[in-house]
Structures are given as structure tokens and as C-alpha cells.
Amino acid sequence: MKGYGLLQVYTGTGKGKTTAALGVVLRASGYGAKTLMIQFLKDDKGYGEYSAAKFIPGFELMQVGRDCFVDFSNPDPIDLRMMYEGWALAKEAILSQKYDIVILDELNIGLFYKMLPLDEVIAFLKNERGKTEIISTGRYAPEQLIEIADLVTDMQSVKHYFFAGVQSRDGIDH
Ligand code: ATP
Ligand code: MG
């Protein structure tokens, strides 16, 4: 273990949260670190990082979700169950102290929409992470998560080509 052990949060409505976390994966792999990324609310093997994972030493990527629209105002029980499954995997991975870094991609969104018990998640991330660095990404990070974090970056959207009609591009947006 590298002995990292801090809690980072990448939030905000601007683009760059997941790709910033993937940048950490690349950088840390240069030092032989082991990283697990759990992508909540996703089942899409078309993501570049999914195909690239096997080329990055020490990097594991898991998607826990299904490939369909999630109605956050009224989540389907299947989506709730998958969120819980992802969180159970995250806890197991963190407690195992097998990974230098565990990235919880879109956890912030899951917490914001109350798909997971906020108090439990906060208590766990605060007290149980040991030497594992945690990076939690997604819009709308709740205040309680920001309070316990060691680093919070708020990505601000100034412009996005999406609003000029540019659709999601291979290798840039997914
Ligand atoms: P990325 O994965 O590109 O780093 P992200 O993790 O910051 O983006 P998400 O909220 O996870 O952002 O959304 C991912 C997708 O939505 C990407 O295709 C991204 O280009 C797009 N996106 C991100 N921010 C915006 C925005 N402000 N307006 C429109 N689309 C956005
Ligand atoms: Mg993202």
C-alpha cells in the first residue's frame, strides 16, 4: 500500500469529473499503485476507459448499473438495488485494503438523490478508508460529503459544445 488515505470529491456541473479521476489512475499507475473504479448507474461497454483498463497496470474497472435511463425523481427498485450492490462492493474493496485508490464514479449523484443512506455512507468514508485514497465523483455532492472531504474540486461549466449541437464523441465524452 502506498499510504495515501485521503478523501477527494470532484463535483459541479462542468465536464471533467470522471476524466480527472481517470487522470489520477494513469498517474498513479506510474508508481505501481492499484486502483479500482466503480462506475455507478452505468452499464455501457462503449466507454473508452472500459476498453483501455486492460492496458493500464493495476487498474480495475467495474460498472454497476443498467443501460437505460434512470428516473432520479422516482428510481426503479432495480436501480436502487444496483446502487446498493455497488456500494457493498465499494465497502468490501475499501475494507480489504487491497487498493491504493478506489474511485466511486457518480456516487455523489446517488447520494444527492437519496438512493443510498447518506449517514451510513458518510460515516464509512470518514472512518473506514484506512490507507485507501477515495475519489467520489458526480454532480451535486451533498454538503455532508464536502464537510468530511480533504479535497473538493467544483468543476464549473463555462461552455459546453453540447449546447452548440455537438453530440457525445468517442474517446472524448465516453
Ligand atoms: P467526463 O466524463 O467527460 O469527465 P463528467 O464526469 O464531468 O464528464 P458527467 O456529469 O459524468 O460529467 O457527464 C458525462 C457526460 O456528460 C460527458 O459526455 C460530458 O461531456 C457531458 N457533460 C458534462 N458536463 C456537461 C455540461 N455542463 N453540459 C452538457 N454535457 C455535459
Ligand atoms: Mg462523470
Side-chain angles (χ1 to χ4, degrees):
M1 291 290 282
K2 299 285 178 194
Y4 296 146
L6 299 182
L7 172 61
Q8 305 188 31
V9 176
Y10 303 162
T11 192
T13 53
K15 170 177 163 59
K17 300 172 290 292
T18 298
T19 44
L22 288 167
V24 176
V25 173
L26 179 65
R27 179 173 282 174
S29 76
Y31 279 86
K34 288 193 63 160
T35 304
L36 172 69
M37 178 183 250
I38 296 178
Q39 294 190 319
F40 290 93
L41 302 162
K42 255 185 208 114
D43 177 22
D44 185 346
K45 313 305 180 225
Y47 275 78
E49 56 265 38
Y50 195 87
S51 313
K54 58 180 173 294
F55 300 118
I56 304 176
F59 182 38
E60 290 173 42
L61 175 60
M62 298 169 71
Q63 293 184 335
V64 191
R66 50 190 192 128
D67 191 12
C68 72
F69 178 78
V70 178
D71 178 3
F72 288 109
S73 59
N74 184 25
D76 190 286
I78 298 171
D79 294 318
L80 289 173
R81 204 189 66 219
M82 295 193 94
M83 199 77 203
Y84 268 84
E85 278 172 19
W87 174 239
L89 287 168
K91 284 194 287 190
E92 196 185 318
I94 295 164
L95 289 173
S96 77
Q97 291 291 289
K98 211 176 104 183
Y99 300 97
D100 297 296
I101 304 169
V102 170
I103 298 166
L104 304 171
D105 191 41
E106 297 293 17
L107 178 72
N108 301 348
I109 284 282
L111 293 174
F112 178 78
Y113 286 106
K114 304 191 186 328
M115 295 175 78
L116 288 172
L118 182 63
D119 291 348
E120 191 225 299
V121 173
I122 296 295
F124 185 89
L125 293 180
K126 188 174 176 201
N127 302 316
E128 310 291 345
R129 59 181 193 268
K131 293 189 185 330
T132 300
E133 185 95 356
I134 308 291
I135 302 178
S136 178
T137 85
R139 294 173 179 216
Y140 315 132
E143 200 46 49
Q144 292 94 320
L145 184 63
I146 289 172
E147 259 168 42
I148 64 159
D150 298 288
L151 175 146
V152 180
T153 297
D154 188 358
M155 310 270 177
Q156 197 188 341
S157 185
V158 176
K159 269 190 180 181
H160 196 298
Y161 39 69
F162 173 78
F163 297 102
V166 179
Q167 299 298 318
S168 185
R169 293 176 296 164
D170 294 354
I172 302 286
D173 296 298
H174 61 258

